[in-house]
Amino acid sequence: MSNKSGLLVCFASPSGGGKTTVCHKLLERNDDYFFSVSCTTREPRPDEIDGKDYHFLNKKEFEEKIESGALDEYEEVHGNYYGTLHSAVQEALDNKQVLLVDIDVKGAITLKDKYGEQCLTIFIRPPSMEVLKERLINRGTETESSFERRMHRISMEMNFGKHFDRQVINNSLSDTVEEVETIIENKRTGIMEAMSNGS
Ligand code: 5GP
């Protein structure tokens, strides 16, 4: 029997907190880790690919997904819909993969409620608000008004950290990636042990 279990790992952080970079690094280092491609009504950014970064849908298509029960959770973030596909979660769990979910704070809590021990929620904390602001500016993806909207949301998001299974301070990317990887692998082993003990 494999000593690895499938696991949903939800990463949330305030905008610019670094969770997307952490996810990419984890994917490079682990071939049984996969990325959950969410649905969104947001416009694609220039470097984003439909079906790889997101499934880009219009509002009507998104609402059809909601109505047909295709989404495990969805939220309106910064004026757009974002949602996690049930089929992606099931496929990963059935194949004992780790599914990395880049998600907002509320969506992470919804998935935790739904999937319990099969779900690990990790809150990536930026070292400080100043660093956060700087990262968001350097990323260069925001207009002035979307920057303001994101900054406004940040204090709400920071307060959510305490509801997560684990919080990791993202001081250095390589340390954060190693720490998160250890947390994930310990969790997978714990699930397998619990299963083999019949609990
Ligand atoms: P962005 O527009 O920067 O790609 O994402 C905006 C926010 O939406 C981020 O916090 C991101 O993690 C979150 N997000 C991305 N996909 C999902 C999803 O499927 N569900 C929810 N609830 N949030 C998501």
Side-chain angles (χ1 to χ4, degrees), residues 19 38 42 45 54 73 82-84 102-104 150:
K19 67 183 164 181
S38 295
R42 162 167 84 56
R45 295 180 183 135
Y54 282 105
E73 63 75 38
Y82 294 82
T84 306
D102 185 328
I103 194 165
D104 88 302
R150 279 174 192 259

